[in-house]
PDB file of all heavy atoms in Angstrom:
ATOM      1  N   VAL T1022      49.652  16.055   8.074  1.00 97.00           N
ATOM      2  CA  VAL T1022      49.674  14.793   7.353  1.00 97.00           C
ATOM      3  C   VAL T1022      50.886  14.803   6.434  1.00 97.00           C
ATOM      4  O   VAL T1022      51.173  15.808   5.796  1.00 97.00           O
ATOM      5  CB  VAL T1022      48.372  14.618   6.533  1.00 97.00           C
ATOM      6  CG1 VAL T1022      48.384  13.326   5.760  1.00 97.00           C
ATOM      7  CG2 VAL T1022      47.145  14.706   7.432  1.00 97.00           C
ATOM      8  N   TYR T1023      51.570  13.677   6.335  1.00 97.00           N
ATOM      9  CA  TYR T1023      52.793  13.575   5.542  1.00 97.00           C
ATOM     10  C   TYR T1023      52.543  12.616   4.392  1.00 97.00           C
ATOM     11  O   TYR T1023      52.115  11.481   4.596  1.00 97.00           O
ATOM     12  CB  TYR T1023      53.969  13.164   6.436  1.00 97.00           C
ATOM     13  CG  TYR T1023      54.096  14.188   7.528  1.00 97.00           C
ATOM     14  CD1 TYR T1023      53.448  14.023   8.745  1.00 97.00           C
ATOM     15  CD2 TYR T1023      54.756  15.385   7.286  1.00 97.00           C
ATOM     16  CE1 TYR T1023      53.486  15.014   9.710  1.00 97.00           C
ATOM     17  CE2 TYR T1023      54.802  16.375   8.247  1.00 97.00           C
ATOM     18  CZ  TYR T1023      54.165  16.190   9.459  1.00 97.00           C
ATOM     19  OH  TYR T1023      54.194  17.186  10.395  1.00 97.00           O
ATOM     20  N   SER T1024      52.777  13.117   3.172  1.00 97.00           N
ATOM     21  CA  SER T1024      52.373  12.415   1.963  1.00 97.00           C
ATOM     22  C   SER T1024      53.502  12.389   0.942  1.00 97.00           C
ATOM     23  O   SER T1024      54.355  13.269   0.921  1.00 97.00           O
ATOM     24  CB  SER T1024      51.146  13.124   1.371  1.00 97.00           C
ATOM     25  OG  SER T1024      50.699  12.489   0.205  1.00 97.00           O
ATOM     26  N   VAL T1025      53.463  11.392   0.071  1.00 96.00           N
ATOM     27  CA  VAL T1025      54.458  11.285  -0.998  1.00 96.00           C
ATOM     28  C   VAL T1025      54.082  12.137  -2.204  1.00 96.00           C
ATOM     29  O   VAL T1025      54.840  12.219  -3.164  1.00 96.00           O
ATOM     30  CB  VAL T1025      54.694   9.813  -1.414  1.00 96.00           C
ATOM     31  CG1 VAL T1025      55.231   9.013  -0.239  1.00 96.00           C
ATOM     32  CG2 VAL T1025      53.446   9.182  -1.991  1.00 96.00           C
ATOM     33  N   SER T1026      52.918  12.769  -2.159  1.00 95.00           N
ATOM     34  CA  SER T1026      52.474  13.675  -3.218  1.00 95.00           C
ATOM     35  C   SER T1026      51.609  14.753  -2.563  1.00 95.00           C
ATOM     36  O   SER T1026      51.329  14.684  -1.369  1.00 95.00           O
ATOM     37  CB  SER T1026      51.663  12.908  -4.272  1.00 95.00           C
ATOM     38  OG  SER T1026      50.328  12.754  -3.856  1.00 95.00           O
ATOM     39  N   PRO T1027      51.112  15.701  -3.332  1.00 94.00           N
ATOM     40  CA  PRO T1027      50.215  16.708  -2.752  1.00 94.00           C
ATOM     41  C   PRO T1027      48.822  16.165  -2.404  1.00 94.00           C
ATOM     42  O   PRO T1027      47.999  16.884  -1.868  1.00 94.00           O
ATOM     43  CB  PRO T1027      50.096  17.766  -3.849  1.00 94.00           C
ATOM     44  CG  PRO T1027      51.224  17.532  -4.767  1.00 94.00           C
ATOM     45  CD  PRO T1027      51.539  16.069  -4.686  1.00 94.00           C
ATOM     46  N   LYS T1028      48.587  14.894  -2.665  1.00 94.00           N
ATOM     47  CA  LYS T1028      47.268  14.304  -2.433  1.00 94.00           C
ATOM     48  C   LYS T1028      47.184  13.634  -1.065  1.00 94.00           C
ATOM     49  O   LYS T1028      48.077  12.881  -0.680  1.00 94.00           O
ATOM     50  CB  LYS T1028      46.960  13.264  -3.512  1.00 94.00           C
ATOM     51  CG  LYS T1028      46.781  13.843  -4.901  1.00 94.00           C
ATOM     52  CD  LYS T1028      46.652  12.787  -5.966  1.00 94.00           C
ATOM     53  CE  LYS T1028      45.689  11.695  -5.610  1.00 94.00           C
ATOM     54  NZ  LYS T1028      45.564  10.655  -6.636  1.00 94.00           N
ATOM     55  N   LEU T1029      46.083  13.876  -0.371  1.00 93.00           N
ATOM     56  CA  LEU T1029      45.849  13.251   0.917  1.00 93.00           C
ATOM     57  C   LEU T1029      45.827  11.729   0.783  1.00 93.00           C
ATOM     58  O   LEU T1029      46.320  11.015   1.662  1.00 93.00           O
ATOM     59  CB  LEU T1029      44.529  13.745   1.516  1.00 93.00           C
ATOM     60  CG  LEU T1029      44.158  13.195   2.886  1.00 93.00           C
ATOM     61  CD1 LEU T1029      45.212  13.538   3.924  1.00 93.00           C
ATOM     62  CD2 LEU T1029      42.795  13.729   3.302  1.00 93.00           C
ATOM     63  N   GLY T1030      45.315  11.209  -0.314  1.00 93.00           N
ATOM     64  CA  GLY T1030      45.256   9.772  -0.530  1.00 93.00           C
ATOM     65  C   GLY T1030      46.613   9.104  -0.629  1.00 93.00           C
ATOM     66  O   GLY T1030      46.711   7.882  -0.538  1.00 93.00           O
ATOM     67  N   ASP T1031      47.672   9.877  -0.817  1.00 95.00           N
ATOM     68  CA  ASP T1031      49.032   9.349  -0.907  1.00 95.00           C
ATOM     69  C   ASP T1031      49.802   9.513   0.407  1.00 95.00           C
ATOM     70  O   ASP T1031      51.018   9.369   0.440  1.00 95.00           O
ATOM     71  CB  ASP T1031      49.801  10.033  -2.036  1.00 95.00           C
ATOM     72  CG  ASP T1031      49.273   9.669  -3.413  1.00 95.00           C
ATOM     73  OD1 ASP T1031      48.707   8.564  -3.558  1.00 95.00           O
ATOM     74  OD2 ASP T1031      49.435  10.476  -4.339  1.00 95.00           O
ATOM     75  N   ALA T1032      49.074   9.811   1.493  1.00 96.00           N
ATOM     76  CA  ALA T1032      49.720  10.040   2.786  1.00 96.00           C
ATOM     77  C   ALA T1032      50.180   8.729   3.408  1.00 96.00           C
ATOM     78  O   ALA T1032      49.599   7.673   3.177  1.00 96.00           O
ATOM     79  CB  ALA T1032      48.750  10.752   3.726  1.00 96.00           C
ATOM     80  N   TYR T1033      51.231   8.823   4.187  1.00 97.00           N
ATOM     81  CA  TYR T1033      51.759   7.647   4.871  1.00 97.00           C
ATOM     82  C   TYR T1033      51.689   7.760   6.389  1.00 97.00           C
ATOM     83  O   TYR T1033      51.602   6.764   7.087  1.00 97.00           O
ATOM     84  CB  TYR T1033      53.178   7.300   4.411  1.00 97.00           C
ATOM     85  CG  TYR T1033      54.197   8.392   4.614  1.00 97.00           C
ATOM     86  CD1 TYR T1033      54.978   8.435   5.748  1.00 97.00           C
ATOM     87  CD2 TYR T1033      54.376   9.375   3.645  1.00 97.00           C
ATOM     88  CE1 TYR T1033      55.924   9.424   5.925  1.00 97.00           C
ATOM     89  CE2 TYR T1033      55.314  10.363   3.812  1.00 97.00           C
ATOM     90  CZ  TYR T1033      56.078  10.392   4.953  1.00 97.00           C
ATOM     91  OH  TYR T1033      57.002  11.387   5.120  1.00 97.00           O
ATOM     92  N   CYS T1034      51.748   8.976   6.922  1.00 98.00           N
ATOM     93  CA  CYS T1034      51.582   9.124   8.366  1.00 98.00           C
ATOM     94  C   CYS T1034      51.031  10.503   8.687  1.00 98.00           C
ATOM     95  O   CYS T1034      50.940  11.368   7.814  1.00 98.00           O
ATOM     96  CB  CYS T1034      52.875   8.842   9.125  1.00 98.00           C
ATOM     97  SG  CYS T1034      54.167  10.076   9.011  1.00 98.00           S
ATOM     98  N   MET T1035      50.654  10.680   9.944  1.00 98.00           N
ATOM     99  CA  MET T1035      50.032  11.937  10.367  1.00 98.00           C
ATOM    100  C   MET T1035      50.269  12.156  11.851  1.00 98.00           C
ATOM    101  O   MET T1035      50.574  11.209  12.587  1.00 98.00           O
ATOM    102  CB  MET T1035      48.545  11.905  10.085  1.00 98.00           C
ATOM    103  CG  MET T1035      47.791  10.873  10.893  1.00 98.00           C
ATOM    104  SD  MET T1035      46.071  10.756  10.399  1.00 98.00           S
ATOM    105  CE  MET T1035      45.947   8.984  10.186  1.00 98.00           C
ATOM    106  N   ILE T1036      50.129  13.405  12.249  1.00 98.00           N
ATOM    107  CA  ILE T1036      50.201  13.751  13.667  1.00 98.00           C
ATOM    108  C   ILE T1036      48.923  14.512  14.024  1.00 98.00           C
ATOM    109  O   ILE T1036      48.830  15.711  13.790  1.00 98.00           O
ATOM    110  CB  ILE T1036      51.415  14.631  14.005  1.00 98.00           C
ATOM    111  CG1 ILE T1036      52.710  14.046  13.476  1.00 98.00           C
ATOM    112  CG2 ILE T1036      51.487  14.845  15.525  1.00 98.00           C
ATOM    113  CD1 ILE T1036      53.904  14.990  13.595  1.00 98.00           C
ATOM    114  N   PRO T1037      47.920  13.829  14.553  1.00 97.00           N
ATOM    115  CA  PRO T1037      46.746  14.547  15.054  1.00 97.00           C
ATOM    116  C   PRO T1037      47.012  15.019  16.487  1.00 97.00           C
ATOM    117  O   PRO T1037      47.527  14.270  17.316  1.00 97.00           O
ATOM    118  CB  PRO T1037      45.637  13.489  15.012  1.00 97.00           C
ATOM    119  CG  PRO T1037      46.341  12.187  15.090  1.00 97.00           C
ATOM    120  CD  PRO T1037      47.731  12.394  14.529  1.00 97.00           C
ATOM    121  N   ILE T1038      46.694  16.283  16.739  1.00 97.00           N
ATOM    122  CA  ILE T1038      46.871  16.868  18.062  1.00 97.00           C
ATOM    123  C   ILE T1038      45.483  17.106  18.633  1.00 97.00           C
ATOM    124  O   ILE T1038      44.703  17.898  18.102  1.00 97.00           O
ATOM    125  CB  ILE T1038      47.619  18.212  17.989  1.00 97.00           C
ATOM    126  CG1 ILE T1038      48.880  18.090  17.148  1.00 97.00           C
ATOM    127  CG2 ILE T1038      47.923  18.729  19.385  1.00 97.00           C
ATOM    128  CD1 ILE T1038      49.481  19.432  16.765  1.00 97.00           C
ATOM    129  N   TYR T1039      45.166  16.421  19.699  1.00 95.00           N
ATOM    130  CA  TYR T1039      43.877  16.558  20.363  1.00 95.00           C
ATOM    131  C   TYR T1039      44.014  17.539  21.522  1.00 95.00           C
ATOM    132  O   TYR T1039      45.046  18.196  21.656  1.00 95.00           O
ATOM    133  CB  TYR T1039      43.389  15.180  20.818  1.00 95.00           C
ATOM    134  CG  TYR T1039      43.223  14.222  19.666  1.00 95.00           C
ATOM    135  CD1 TYR T1039      44.209  13.281  19.380  1.00 95.00           C
ATOM    136  CD2 TYR T1039      42.116  14.281  18.831  1.00 95.00           C
ATOM    137  CE1 TYR T1039      44.080  12.408  18.308  1.00 95.00           C
ATOM    138  CE2 TYR T1039      41.964  13.416  17.756  1.00 95.00           C
ATOM    139  CZ  TYR T1039      42.960  12.485  17.498  1.00 95.00           C
ATOM    140  OH  TYR T1039      42.821  11.626  16.432  1.00 95.00           O
ATOM    141  N   SER T1040      43.018  17.664  22.365  1.00 91.00           N
ATOM    142  CA  SER T1040      43.079  18.654  23.436  1.00 91.00           C
ATOM    143  C   SER T1040      44.127  18.311  24.498  1.00 91.00           C
ATOM    144  O   SER T1040      44.721  19.204  25.079  1.00 91.00           O
ATOM    145  CB  SER T1040      41.706  18.832  24.083  1.00 91.00           C
ATOM    146  OG  SER T1040      41.238  17.588  24.562  1.00 91.00           O
ATOM    147  N   ALA T1041      44.369  17.023  24.760  1.00 92.00           N
ATOM    148  CA  ALA T1041      45.304  16.674  25.817  1.00 92.00           C
ATOM    149  C   ALA T1041      46.359  15.646  25.403  1.00 92.00           C
ATOM    150  O   ALA T1041      47.141  15.205  26.235  1.00 92.00           O
ATOM    151  CB  ALA T1041      44.535  16.145  27.019  1.00 92.00           C
ATOM    152  N   HIS T1042      46.382  15.241  24.141  1.00 95.00           N
ATOM    153  CA  HIS T1042      47.371  14.260  23.700  1.00 95.00           C
ATOM    154  C   HIS T1042      47.556  14.338  22.192  1.00 95.00           C
ATOM    155  O   HIS T1042      46.798  15.018  21.495  1.00 95.00           O
ATOM    156  CB  HIS T1042      46.962  12.838  24.111  1.00 95.00           C
ATOM    157  CG  HIS T1042      45.815  12.287  23.338  1.00 95.00           C
ATOM    158  ND1 HIS T1042      44.506  12.657  23.549  1.00 95.00           N
ATOM    159  CD2 HIS T1042      45.781  11.385  22.324  1.00 95.00           C
ATOM    160  CE1 HIS T1042      43.719  12.011  22.720  1.00 95.00           C
ATOM    161  NE2 HIS T1042      44.457  11.231  21.945  1.00 95.00           N
ATOM    162  N   LEU T1043      48.563  13.631  21.703  1.00 96.00           N
ATOM    163  CA  LEU T1043      48.745  13.513  20.255  1.00 96.00           C
ATOM    164  C   LEU T1043      49.162  12.096  19.928  1.00 96.00           C
ATOM    165  O   LEU T1043      49.558  11.326  20.808  1.00 96.00           O
ATOM    166  CB  LEU T1043      49.736  14.546  19.709  1.00 96.00           C
ATOM    167  CG  LEU T1043      51.166  14.577  20.204  1.00 96.00           C
ATOM    168  CD1 LEU T1043      52.051  13.693  19.339  1.00 96.00           C
ATOM    169  CD2 LEU T1043      51.683  15.992  20.124  1.00 96.00           C
ATOM    170  N   ASN T1044      49.017  11.748  18.664  1.00 97.00           N
ATOM    171  CA  ASN T1044      49.361  10.414  18.174  1.00 97.00           C
ATOM    172  C   ASN T1044      50.264  10.537  16.958  1.00 97.00           C
ATOM    173  O   ASN T1044      50.247  11.550  16.255  1.00 97.00           O
ATOM    174  CB  ASN T1044      48.116   9.638  17.729  1.00 97.00           C
ATOM    175  CG  ASN T1044      47.192   9.297  18.865  1.00 97.00           C
ATOM    176  OD1 ASN T1044      47.615   9.071  19.981  1.00 97.00           O
ATOM    177  ND2 ASN T1044      45.898   9.254  18.579  1.00 97.00           N
ATOM    178  N   LEU T1045      50.993   9.475  16.696  1.00 98.00           N
ATOM    179  CA  LEU T1045      51.650   9.305  15.409  1.00 98.00           C
ATOM    180  C   LEU T1045      50.792   8.280  14.691  1.00 98.00           C
ATOM    181  O   LEU T1045      50.750   7.111  15.074  1.00 98.00           O
ATOM    182  CB  LEU T1045      53.086   8.802  15.583  1.00 98.00           C
ATOM    183  CG  LEU T1045      53.815   8.403  14.295  1.00 98.00           C
ATOM    184  CD1 LEU T1045      53.860   9.559  13.291  1.00 98.00           C
ATOM    185  CD2 LEU T1045      55.215   7.903  14.612  1.00 98.00           C
ATOM    186  N   GLY T1046      50.044   8.741  13.694  1.00 98.00           N
ATOM    187  CA  GLY T1046      49.116   7.874  12.989  1.00 98.00           C
ATOM    188  C   GLY T1046      49.677   7.373  11.671  1.00 98.00           C
ATOM    189  O   GLY T1046      50.513   8.029  11.049  1.00 98.00           O
ATOM    190  N   PHE T1047      49.208   6.217  11.264  1.00 98.00           N
ATOM    191  CA  PHE T1047      49.611   5.600   9.999  1.00 98.00           C
ATOM    192  C   PHE T1047      48.355   5.333   9.184  1.00 98.00           C
ATOM    193  O   PHE T1047      47.495   4.559   9.594  1.00 98.00           O
ATOM    194  CB  PHE T1047      50.388   4.300  10.258  1.00 98.00           C
ATOM    195  CG  PHE T1047      51.686   4.544  10.947  1.00 98.00           C
ATOM    196  CD1 PHE T1047      51.764   4.613  12.326  1.00 98.00           C
ATOM    197  CD2 PHE T1047      52.842   4.760  10.207  1.00 98.00           C
ATOM    198  CE1 PHE T1047      52.967   4.872  12.967  1.00 98.00           C
ATOM    199  CE2 PHE T1047      54.047   5.019  10.831  1.00 98.00           C
ATOM    200  CZ  PHE T1047      54.105   5.077  12.212  1.00 98.00           C
ATOM    201  N   ASN T1048      48.258   5.993   8.033  1.00 95.00           N
ATOM    202  CA  ASN T1048      47.063   5.929   7.203  1.00 95.00           C
ATOM    203  C   ASN T1048      46.706   4.511   6.773  1.00 95.00           C
ATOM    204  O   ASN T1048      45.539   4.183   6.632  1.00 95.00           O
ATOM    205  CB  ASN T1048      47.238   6.829   5.980  1.00 95.00           C
ATOM    206  CG  ASN T1048      47.427   8.268   6.396  1.00 95.00           C
ATOM    207  OD1 ASN T1048      48.310   8.585   7.167  1.00 95.00           O
ATOM    208  ND2 ASN T1048      46.584   9.144   5.906  1.00 95.00           N
ATOM    209  N   LYS T1049      47.703   3.691   6.542  1.00 96.00           N
ATOM    210  CA  LYS T1049      47.474   2.293   6.166  1.00 96.00           C
ATOM    211  C   LYS T1049      48.220   1.382   7.135  1.00 96.00           C
ATOM    212  O   LYS T1049      48.899   0.442   6.750  1.00 96.00           O
ATOM    213  CB  LYS T1049      47.918   2.061   4.719  1.00 96.00           C
ATOM    214  CG  LYS T1049      47.080   2.870   3.736  1.00 96.00           C
ATOM    215  CD  LYS T1049      47.505   2.667   2.309  1.00 96.00           C
ATOM    216  CE  LYS T1049      46.646   3.526   1.391  1.00 96.00           C
ATOM    217  NZ  LYS T1049      47.092   3.458   0.002  1.00 96.00           N
ATOM    218  N   GLY T1050      48.023   1.658   8.404  1.00 97.00           N
ATOM    219  CA  GLY T1050      48.738   0.951   9.452  1.00 97.00           C
ATOM    220  C   GLY T1050      48.473  -0.539   9.510  1.00 97.00           C
ATOM    221  O   GLY T1050      49.325  -1.306   9.944  1.00 97.00           O
ATOM    222  N   THR T1051      47.293  -0.962   9.067  1.00 97.00           N
ATOM    223  CA  THR T1051      47.011  -2.399   9.090  1.00 97.00           C
ATOM    224  C   THR T1051      47.779  -3.142   8.008  1.00 97.00           C
ATOM    225  O   THR T1051      47.850  -4.366   8.047  1.00 97.00           O
ATOM    226  CB  THR T1051      45.505  -2.679   8.902  1.00 97.00           C
ATOM    227  OG1 THR T1051      45.079  -2.138   7.650  1.00 97.00           O
ATOM    228  CG2 THR T1051      44.687  -2.083  10.037  1.00 97.00           C
ATOM    229  N   LEU T1052      48.351  -2.408   7.053  1.00 97.00           N
ATOM    230  CA  LEU T1052      49.048  -3.031   5.935  1.00 97.00           C
ATOM    231  C   LEU T1052      50.563  -3.054   6.082  1.00 97.00           C
ATOM    232  O   LEU T1052      51.259  -3.552   5.201  1.00 97.00           O
ATOM    233  CB  LEU T1052      48.669  -2.320   4.627  1.00 97.00           C
ATOM    234  CG  LEU T1052      47.168  -2.266   4.306  1.00 97.00           C
ATOM    235  CD1 LEU T1052      46.939  -1.505   3.011  1.00 97.00           C
ATOM    236  CD2 LEU T1052      46.573  -3.663   4.248  1.00 97.00           C
ATOM    237  N   ILE T1053      51.075  -2.503   7.177  1.00 97.00           N
ATOM    238  CA  ILE T1053      52.529  -2.503   7.375  1.00 97.00           C
ATOM    239  C   ILE T1053      52.899  -3.459   8.513  1.00 97.00           C
ATOM    240  O   ILE T1053      52.124  -3.646   9.456  1.00 97.00           O
ATOM    241  CB  ILE T1053      53.085  -1.083   7.647  1.00 97.00           C
ATOM    242  CG1 ILE T1053      52.427  -0.437   8.872  1.00 97.00           C
ATOM    243  CG2 ILE T1053      52.946  -0.211   6.420  1.00 97.00           C
ATOM    244  CD1 ILE T1053      53.009   0.898   9.254  1.00 97.00           C
ATOM    245  N   PRO T1054      54.069  -4.084   8.408  1.00 96.00           N
ATOM    246  CA  PRO T1054      54.488  -4.998   9.470  1.00 96.00           C
ATOM    247  C   PRO T1054      54.734  -4.243  10.777  1.00 96.00           C
ATOM    248  O   PRO T1054      55.273  -3.135  10.770  1.00 96.00           O
ATOM    249  CB  PRO T1054      55.791  -5.594   8.949  1.00 96.00           C
ATOM    250  CG  PRO T1054      56.070  -4.983   7.637  1.00 96.00           C
ATOM    251  CD  PRO T1054      55.008  -3.996   7.306  1.00 96.00           C
ATOM    252  N   ASP T1055      54.329  -4.845  11.876  1.00 96.00           N
ATOM    253  CA  ASP T1055      54.513  -4.247  13.199  1.00 96.00           C
ATOM    254  C   ASP T1055      54.984  -5.324  14.175  1.00 96.00           C
ATOM    255  O   ASP T1055      54.274  -5.695  15.106  1.00 96.00           O
ATOM    256  CB  ASP T1055      53.201  -3.615  13.671  1.00 96.00           C
ATOM    257  CG  ASP T1055      53.298  -2.967  15.039  1.00 96.00           C
ATOM    258  OD1 ASP T1055      54.415  -2.594  15.456  1.00 96.00           O
ATOM    259  OD2 ASP T1055      52.253  -2.837  15.698  1.00 96.00           O
ATOM    260  N   PRO T1056      56.200  -5.863  13.967  1.00 95.00           N
ATOM    261  CA  PRO T1056      56.663  -6.970  14.804  1.00 95.00           C
ATOM    262  C   PRO T1056      56.783  -6.617  16.289  1.00 95.00           C
ATOM    263  O   PRO T1056      56.691  -7.495  17.145  1.00 95.00           O
ATOM    264  CB  PRO T1056      58.030  -7.335  14.208  1.00 95.00           C
ATOM    265  CG  PRO T1056      58.450  -6.151  13.425  1.00 95.00           C
ATOM    266  CD  PRO T1056      57.197  -5.464  12.976  1.00 95.00           C
ATOM    267  N   SER T1057      56.966  -5.339  16.620  1.00 95.00           N
ATOM    268  CA  SER T1057      57.098  -4.937  18.025  1.00 95.00           C
ATOM    269  C   SER T1057      55.757  -4.661  18.687  1.00 95.00           C
ATOM    270  O   SER T1057      55.699  -4.440  19.893  1.00 95.00           O
ATOM    271  CB  SER T1057      57.986  -3.693  18.130  1.00 95.00           C
ATOM    272  OG  SER T1057      59.274  -3.975  17.626  1.00 95.00           O
ATOM    273  N   GLY T1058      54.683  -4.638  17.901  1.00 96.00           N
ATOM    274  CA  GLY T1058      53.347  -4.431  18.457  1.00 96.00           C
ATOM    275  C   GLY T1058      53.085  -3.025  18.970  1.00 96.00           C
ATOM    276  O   GLY T1058      52.317  -2.830  19.904  1.00 96.00           O
ATOM    277  N   PHE T1059      53.691  -2.023  18.331  1.00 96.00           N
ATOM    278  CA  PHE T1059      53.494  -0.638  18.759  1.00 96.00           C
ATOM    279  C   PHE T1059      52.153  -0.054  18.326  1.00 96.00           C
ATOM    280  O   PHE T1059      51.613   0.817  18.992  1.00 96.00           O
ATOM    281  CB  PHE T1059      54.600   0.269  18.191  1.00 96.00           C
ATOM    282  CG  PHE T1059      55.937   0.102  18.840  1.00 96.00           C
ATOM    283  CD1 PHE T1059      57.078  -0.006  18.079  1.00 96.00           C
ATOM    284  CD2 PHE T1059      56.063   0.065  20.211  1.00 96.00           C
ATOM    285  CE1 PHE T1059      58.318  -0.149  18.664  1.00 96.00           C
ATOM    286  CE2 PHE T1059      57.303  -0.071  20.823  1.00 96.00           C
ATOM    287  CZ  PHE T1059      58.430  -0.187  20.038  1.00 96.00           C
ATOM    288  N   LEU T1060      51.640  -0.508  17.192  1.00 97.00           N
ATOM    289  CA  LEU T1060      50.456   0.130  16.612  1.00 97.00           C
ATOM    290  C   LEU T1060      49.181  -0.255  17.357  1.00 97.00           C
ATOM    291  O   LEU T1060      48.965  -1.415  17.704  1.00 97.00           O
ATOM    292  CB  LEU T1060      50.335  -0.235  15.135  1.00 97.00           C
ATOM    293  CG  LEU T1060      51.487   0.251  14.258  1.00 97.00           C
ATOM    294  CD1 LEU T1060      51.301  -0.228  12.825  1.00 97.00           C
ATOM    295  CD2 LEU T1060      51.612   1.763  14.301  1.00 97.00           C
ATOM    296  N   GLN T1061      48.336   0.754  17.572  1.00 97.00           N
ATOM    297  CA  GLN T1061      47.055   0.563  18.246  1.00 97.00           C
ATOM    298  C   GLN T1061      45.927   1.009  17.332  1.00 97.00           C
ATOM    299  O   GLN T1061      46.126   1.790  16.411  1.00 97.00           O
ATOM    300  CB  GLN T1061      47.014   1.377  19.539  1.00 97.00           C
ATOM    301  CG  GLN T1061      48.038   0.965  20.551  1.00 97.00           C
ATOM    302  CD  GLN T1061      47.937   1.782  21.827  1.00 97.00           C
ATOM    303  OE1 GLN T1061      46.948   2.472  22.082  1.00 97.00           O
ATOM    304  NE2 GLN T1061      48.964   1.716  22.650  1.00 97.00           N
ATOM    305  N   GLY T1062      44.720   0.543  17.611  1.00 97.00           N
ATOM    306  CA  GLY T1062      43.551   0.954  16.865  1.00 97.00           C
ATOM    307  C   GLY T1062      42.764  -0.248  16.388  1.00 97.00           C
ATOM    308  O   GLY T1062      43.267  -1.370  16.357  1.00 97.00           O
ATOM    309  N   THR T1063      41.517   0.020  16.003  1.00 95.00           N
ATOM    310  CA  THR T1063      40.626  -1.057  15.583  1.00 95.00           C
ATOM    311  C   THR T1063      39.974  -0.813  14.232  1.00 95.00           C
ATOM    312  O   THR T1063      39.155  -1.599  13.796  1.00 95.00           O
ATOM    313  CB  THR T1063      39.521  -1.274  16.634  1.00 95.00           C
ATOM    314  OG1 THR T1063      38.793  -0.041  16.789  1.00 95.00           O
ATOM    315  CG2 THR T1063      40.104  -1.708  17.977  1.00 95.00           C
ATOM    316  N   GLY T1064      40.336   0.278  13.568  1.00 91.00           N
ATOM    317  CA  GLY T1064      39.744   0.602  12.280  1.00 91.00           C
ATOM    318  C   GLY T1064      40.226  -0.332  11.181  1.00 91.00           C
ATOM    319  O   GLY T1064      41.114  -1.156  11.382  1.00 91.00           O
ATOM    320  N   LYS T1065      39.628  -0.185  10.000  1.00 95.00           N
ATOM    321  CA  LYS T1065      39.995  -1.047   8.873  1.00 95.00           C
ATOM    322  C   LYS T1065      41.407  -0.789   8.370  1.00 95.00           C
ATOM    323  O   LYS T1065      42.068  -1.708   7.901  1.00 95.00           O
ATOM    324  CB  LYS T1065      39.007  -0.860   7.718  1.00 95.00           C
ATOM    325  CG  LYS T1065      37.673  -1.486   7.965  1.00 95.00           C
ATOM    326  CD  LYS T1065      36.808  -1.388   6.730  1.00 95.00           C
ATOM    327  CE  LYS T1065      35.496  -2.115   6.959  1.00 95.00           C
ATOM    328  NZ  LYS T1065      34.713  -2.184   5.736  1.00 95.00           N
ATOM    329  N   LEU T1066      41.890   0.456   8.429  1.00 95.00           N
ATOM    330  CA  LEU T1066      43.218   0.786   7.910  1.00 95.00           C
ATOM    331  C   LEU T1066      44.111   1.534   8.897  1.00 95.00           C
ATOM    332  O   LEU T1066      45.273   1.214   9.050  1.00 95.00           O
ATOM    333  CB  LEU T1066      43.107   1.618   6.627  1.00 95.00           C
ATOM    334  CG  LEU T1066      42.774   0.884   5.349  1.00 95.00           C
ATOM    335  CD1 LEU T1066      42.636   1.865   4.192  1.00 95.00           C
ATOM    336  CD2 LEU T1066      43.844  -0.146   5.018  1.00 95.00           C
ATOM    337  N   ILE T1067      43.591   2.560   9.527  1.00 96.00           N
ATOM    338  CA  ILE T1067      44.422   3.467  10.331  1.00 96.00           C
ATOM    339  C   ILE T1067      44.824   2.823  11.653  1.00 96.00           C
ATOM    340  O   ILE T1067      44.020   2.182  12.314  1.00 96.00           O
ATOM    341  CB  ILE T1067      43.690   4.803  10.585  1.00 96.00           C
ATOM    342  CG1 ILE T1067      43.474   5.543   9.259  1.00 96.00           C
ATOM    343  CG2 ILE T1067      44.465   5.679  11.569  1.00 96.00           C
ATOM    344  CD1 ILE T1067      42.667   6.816   9.383  1.00 96.00           C
TER     345      ILE T1067
END
């Protein structure tokens, strides 16, 4: 997880590695502009 401080709550992106794939995640992805439509997911923020 990549953060602007030592706190997880201040994170801006992350790389979760699963058994067969990985993602570039955005902790507050619903709050950032995505004009190209790259972001996926259905959660409230991520």
Side-chain angles (χ1 to χ4, degrees):
V1022 179
Y1023 302 92
S1024 180
V1025 298
S1026 82
K1028 293 173 47 180
L1029 181 60
D1031 292 333
Y1033 59 94
C1034 73
M1035 65 186 130
I1036 309 171
I1038 311 166
Y1039 300 99
S1040 57
H1042 72 284
L1043 60 91
N1044 293 328
L1045 172 57
F1047 295 87
N1048 299 55
K1049 296 180 181 175
T1051 59
L1052 304 178
I1053 58 175
D1055 180 24
S1057 299
F1059 287 134
L1060 297 177
Q1061 297 181 15
T1063 59
K1065 286 186 176 187
L1066 282 177
I1067 295 175

